[in-house]
Every structure is written in structure tokens, then in C-alpha cells.
Amino acid sequence: REETYDNIAPVRYASNGVTAYVSIMRGCDNMCSFCVVPFTRGRERSRGVASIISECEQLVQEGFKEVTVLGQNVNSYRDGDNGTSIDFAELMYRISQVSPNLRIRYSTSHPKDCSDELLQVHAEQANVCNYIHLPVQHGNTEMLQRMKRTYSREQYLALIERTRKIVPGVSLSTDLIAGFCDETEDEHRDTLSLMKLVRYDHAYMFMYSERPDTYAARKFTDNVEEDVKKRRLQDIIRLQSDISLELNQAEIGNEHIVLVEGRSRRREDQLSGRTDTNKMTVFDRRDYAKGDYVRVRITDCTSATLIAEPISRA
């Protein structure tokens, strides 16, 4: 009931020495009907802000250049132990002040808690990456109600519009579930239409699989045939692949700053890393090294990777 990650120094196996993960909370209060997390990790408990900042400072001293802040729903973070209430937007701002050379990302967020104040932090702090993961799960309002997601299709699309207005050039990703209980063909098509409207840079796409003890397992029937689930998932994957390729092709000629994470998996004479917008990029090694910030110009792409030429250290 009370356990957080305060004063626990995490062990990082196989770390690349450049990027690290900082847990800021445990558990979840949202009770989405398909999700088992509240039953396995309990209710939300936020870690104290001083402990989080201390760990980030230690990571900078150890040479790390990027942290990803972790929680089941980081947007609902609250630290009120010292008589003040610090929300996630304020926490992100404070982490951004640790070092201008420390990039900050976060995962995972719930759309219902994504505030304009948080979006302003993205817009104003150069080292808070212009990449936001906003899991929609489905494109149909009635299905979202069955999933207990607490927002409608229209509310989600309004959030996307507001996000792009406050944070121009932001990169968006999402989670999508195919074949949830009672899903119809029309509801499935609503997911595809929402994807076409939003045009995500990336998506994590899944076929529904029932989890024990969840609301869905107790109240609904997993009644979409397996072959139908697979076909609908493939519809989603194909559409997302097409959208990702189109968005990456539009990057050709643009310049980005890439944080080098290591050598490319395919070629020893190339390096790989991510742009501020979280797009994997590969380019010739030359005299650059892991941990460098490198300005690059995009020259080609696939649906998953940008191909670039390096310009200079940044």
C-alpha cells in the first residue's frame, strides 16, 4: 500500500551508458477494463520529488545524457509530502533544470490527465523532448466506454489538436487494441479512421488477450474470433506502416539533433540514435562516438528508421 521507489538505487543491466530509466511512481488507479496492473501493483503511490531529482543528478554525474521517466500513468503523479502539491508538469520542469544537456522523455501517460501545463513545459524547455505517447486504445466512443477509458473519441481528438497547437512539430505515438470484447466491424473501422485523422508517428499494436481478474474477464465475454482479431490487427499494422513511411519521407531534407546510443545493428561503420522526436536514425560513424549529440540531415528512410548524413557535433 505504501511502497514506492524512494531511496532505491536501481540496477541497470546491459546499460548503454547514455540513456537511463527513472521510476517515479508505482501502481495505477484507472481500472481500465482490460488491464491487470491495478491488481498486480496496487493503487498509485508517487515517489518524493527530492528523491527523483537526486537520482537524475547522479545520472548526469555518471555521464548519462537522457532519462525516461517511468510510471503506469505518469500524468497523475503527485507529491504532497512537504505541504506543497507538485504535479507531473512541475516535476518535468524541475528535472529539465538538472542539466541542459540531459534529455527527458516519459512513459506511460493517460490522455485524461494530459494537461496544458505539461504541454507548455514541452514547448518551453528545449531538453523536454517533443515526443508524447498518448495511448488511445480504440477509435470508437462506445468501445472506449467498455474499456473504461473515461474519454470519448471527440475528447481525444480535441486533445490531439490542442497538443499540436501548443507543441508545434510534436511527434505522437499510441497504443491500439484489436478485437476487444464485442468489437464490431464498424467499431474497428472507427479505429482505422482515427488513425488516419491523427497520423501517429508510431504505434504499439496488440490483439486483445484476456487477463485474469480484470473487469473484462469478469463482466465481458472474449467473443471475437481469433482469425477476426488477427485480420483486424493486420489492418491496423498495415495502415500504421503506411503512415509512418509517409511521415518519415516528409523528413527528408530536414535537420535533427541525434543523441548517439551506439553503433548501428547492421553496419559497424554507422552509428544509431534517436531524434528529439524519438525517431531512430542511422548515419556514418566518422569521428563521432556514443553519447555525442550530432546534428544530421535526413537523406532517406524506411517506415521505422531515418537515414542521415552527419553535419556536426551539437
Side-chain angles (χ1 to χ4, degrees):
R1 293 176 182 269
E2 298 177 0
E3 183 184 30
T4 64
Y5 292 103
D6 276 353
N7 304 314
I8 298 175
V11 178
R12 296 177 181 82
Y13 293 105
S15 170
N16 60 14
V18 177
T19 62
Y21 297 90
V22 176
S23 295
I24 65 168
M25 61 193 303
R26 298 193 69 177
C28 185
D29 288 350
N30 289 311
M31 303 300 290
C32 300
S33 60
F34 54 81
C35 185
V36 75
V37 167
F39 304 100
T40 58
R41 298 184 185 175
R43 303 300 294 271
E44 289 175 356
R45 292 92 75 202
S46 293
R47 178 180 173 187
V49 64
S51 174
I52 297 168
I53 297 300
S54 177
E55 183 177 352
C56 291
E57 291 172 342
Q58 181 63 35
L59 288 167
V60 170
Q61 292 174 13
E62 293 175 8
F64 286 88
K65 297 291 185 67
E66 180 179 289
V67 296
T68 300
V69 172
L70 296 179
Q72 189 64 25
N73 176 21
V74 292
N75 286 350
S76 63
Y77 173 88
R78 290 291 185 279
D79 177 20
D81 291 343
N82 299 315
T84 59
S85 180
I86 296 173
D87 63 9
F88 186 59
E90 175 65 19
L91 175 66
M92 288 295 287
Y93 173 77
R94 295 192 184 194
I95 296 175
S96 75
Q97 301 303 295
V98 169
S99 169
N101 293 320
L102 181 69
R103 270 187 177 176
I104 306 112
R105 305 186 190 275
Y106 56 85
S107 184
T108 297
S109 54
H110 194 298
K112 74 179 178 65
D113 298 316
C114 185
S115 67
D116 286 3
E117 289 78 12
L118 176 60
L119 298 176
Q120 289 292 346
V121 173
H122 277 277
E124 295 169 5
Q125 301 305 121
N127 57 339
V128 176
C129 292
N130 282 354
Y131 164 73
I132 304 178
H133 183 63
L134 286 173
V136 67
Q137 307 299 354
H138 207 277
N140 175 272
T141 293
E142 286 71 28
M143 180 62 77
L144 290 170
Q145 290 173 347
R146 291 204 291 278
M147 290 179 165
K148 293 186 175 292
R149 290 296 287 174
T150 72
Y151 52 82
S152 67
R153 172 190 174 100
E154 292 73 24
Q155 288 170 327
Y156 183 88
L157 289 173
L159 171 61
I160 295 296
E161 182 179 359
R162 196 164 68 249
T163 299
R164 287 184 163 144
K165 181 178 180 180
I166 297 174
V167 193
V170 66
S171 173
L172 298 173
S173 65
T174 198
D175 294 344
L176 294 163
I177 297 175
F180 187 67
C181 309
D182 295 326
E183 184 186 54
T184 66
E185 284 297 325
D186 284 344
E187 289 170 337
H188 169 59
R189 282 191 284 269
D190 281 346
T191 291
L192 299 177
S193 70
L194 182 135
M195 294 171 67
K196 292 174 183 177
L197 286 171
V198 177
R199 292 178 61 80
Y200 297 103
D201 292 86
H202 179 71
Y204 299 90
M205 300 156 285
F206 308 93
M207 186 173 70
Y208 174 65
S209 176
E210 186 177 270
R211 295 292 185 263
D213 298 323
T214 60
Y215 184 90
R218 290 182 284 112
K219 299 293 185 179
F220 300 147
T221 302
D222 184 8
N223 55 1
V224 179
E225 296 294 331
E226 192 84 357
D227 60 338
V228 175
K229 288 183 183 179
K230 290 179 179 178
R231 190 254 304 160
R232 291 176 182 173
L233 177 60
Q234 287 305 310
D235 289 345
I236 291 170
I237 291 172
R238 280 193 296 269
L239 175 57
Q240 183 56 50
S241 180
D242 290 344
I243 293 171
S244 295
L245 179 59
E246 290 170 7
L247 293 175
N248 282 353
Q249 287 173 335
E251 292 280 10
I252 294 174
N254 292 344
E255 294 184 5
H256 286 278
I257 294 177
V258 172
L259 173 59
V260 179
E261 298 176 12
R263 78 169 186 85
S264 167
R265 286 185 296 177
R266 295 188 177 182
R267 289 178 50 178
E268 296 232 1
D269 61 342
Q270 288 189 328
L271 298 172
S272 67
R274 296 181 185 274
T275 65
D276 178 88
T277 52
N278 202 39
K279 296 196 174 187
M280 180 56 69
T281 307
V282 297
F283 56 91
D284 290 344
R285 179 188 296 272
R286 297 188 187 174
D287 62 342
Y288 303 111
K290 184 172 69 174
D292 285 347
Y293 284 110
V294 180
R295 182 174 294 279
V296 303
R297 182 178 295 109
I298 309 305
T299 58
D300 201 354
C301 69
T302 68
S303 62
T305 305
L306 299 178
I307 301 165
E309 59 179 7
I311 299 172
S312 63
R313 283 185 174 82

